Amino acid sequence: MHRTIIAGSPRAQGRCAHLAQELFDACIEERPGDGVSLVSVSGISVGGCIGCDACKQELPADSDRAIALPEEGDPLRPQERICAGDSQRHVCIIDDDMPEVRKHLDAADELIAVVPVYFAGAPSQMKALLDRLQPYYWSDAREGEKRPLTLHVVGEGGDPHGIEPLIGCVRSALSVAGFSLVEVLDWRGRIDADGTIREDAREYAV
C-alpha cells in the first residue's frame, strides 16, 4: 500500500503544510509497513497548461519522451494497471517538475489532497498542477476502477461562496488520473496560522 499526499498551498509553512505533515507522520506511525510520499506545490515548479494538445498524441513505447517506469521494487513504481496502460506515453511538452509529480500519483493506492480555498477555488499553483493532468484525459488511466481520494479543505473560514467550486475542480481533474473523491474534510477555521489544530474537521457531503 502506498499513499501520496499533495499539499496544495504555495505557503511552505502555512496551515496546509502543517496538516499535510501531520497526515504524513500519522501514516508512518499507524502503517509503518506502507509507503507514503508527500508532494508540496510550494517546493516544485509546475507551469500552467497552454492548451496545445501535444499530450493527445500517444508516443511509441520506446520514445525517449515517454515516462520511464521505475524498476520492480521501487516504492514509486506505478500501479500495475498504470504500467499496463498507455498513460506513460501521453506526456506534456513543458519541461518542469510535473513528470515527478506524476510518478507519485501513479504509485498511489490512495491519494490525499490538502488544499486551501482561495475565492471558492484552488490557489493558482495547485490549479496549474490539476490542469496539467490533461495527458491522462487522452489515456486509459481514467477508465476502470478508481483509487480513493480524500480532500482536506483548509482556510481561515468565512468563505461566503463556499467550497463547491474547489471540490468540483479537484474531483474532475483527479478523476482522469484514476481517482474517485470519496471524502471531503472541512478544516476551515479549525487550524491556527501556526498549524495548531483546535478542532476536528467537519465531514462535508460529497
Side-chain angles (χ1 to χ4, degrees):
M1 169 69 78
H2 187 91
R3 291 176 179 83
T4 293
I5 301 169
I6 297 177
S9 172
R11 298 178 62 203
Q13 296 297 325
R15 291 175 175 85
C16 279
H18 287 292
L19 179 57
Q21 187 64 50
E22 289 270 352
L23 294 169
F24 180 84
D25 294 342
C27 286
I28 293 175
E29 182 178 341
E30 295 170 10
R31 305 278 183 88
D34 291 350
V36 59
S37 54
L38 174 58
V39 177
S40 175
V41 299
S42 68
I44 58 176
S45 175
V46 173
C49 175
I50 59 174
C52 68
D53 272 354
C55 60
K56 186 175 183 178
Q57 175 190 5
E58 182 180 339
L59 299 172
D62 61 352
S63 170
D64 58 4
R65 288 190 54 232
I67 297 175
L69 291 176
E71 299 295 328
E72 291 280 358
D74 189 308
L76 290 183
R77 184 166 175 82
Q79 298 284 304
E80 286 307 314
R81 185 166 68 83
I82 298 293
C83 289
D86 64 359
S87 64
Q88 308 296 297
R89 300 192 297 278
H90 288 274
V91 300
C92 183
I93 62 170
I94 299 173
D95 183 16
D96 59 12
D97 293 333
M98 195 61 196
E100 187 65 25
V101 174
R102 288 185 58 176
K103 289 179 183 178
H104 290 273
L105 293 176
D106 292 342
D109 295 284
E110 179 182 325
L111 182 62
I112 300 167
V114 184
V115 186
V117 57
Y118 280 27
F119 293 110
S124 60
Q125 295 84 353
M126 181 64 182
K127 184 60 166 63
L129 186 154
L130 295 173
D131 288 347
R132 290 283 300 284
L133 300 177
Q134 181 66 19
Y136 290 107
Y137 180 85
W138 307 114
S139 77
D140 57 12
R142 65 186 178 123
E143 301 169 359
E145 185 177 356
K146 306 282 189 180
R147 294 164 285 166
L149 161 65
T150 299
L151 171 63
H152 295 258
V153 180
V154 179
E156 289 187 38
D159 308 290
H161 299 289
I163 58 175
E164 289 295 333
L166 170 61
I167 294 171
C169 182
V170 169
R171 185 202 311 265
S172 175
L174 285 163
S175 176
V176 301
F179 297 94
S180 175
L181 183 64
V182 296
E183 186 176 27
V184 175
L185 296 173
D186 184 359
W187 291 95
R188 289 174 299 160
R190 294 174 176 243
I191 303 176
D192 290 338
D194 64 0
T196 301
I197 296 175
R198 293 189 288 103
E199 299 178 66
D200 290 337
R202 296 178 291 262
E203 291 190 21
Y204 194 95
V206 292

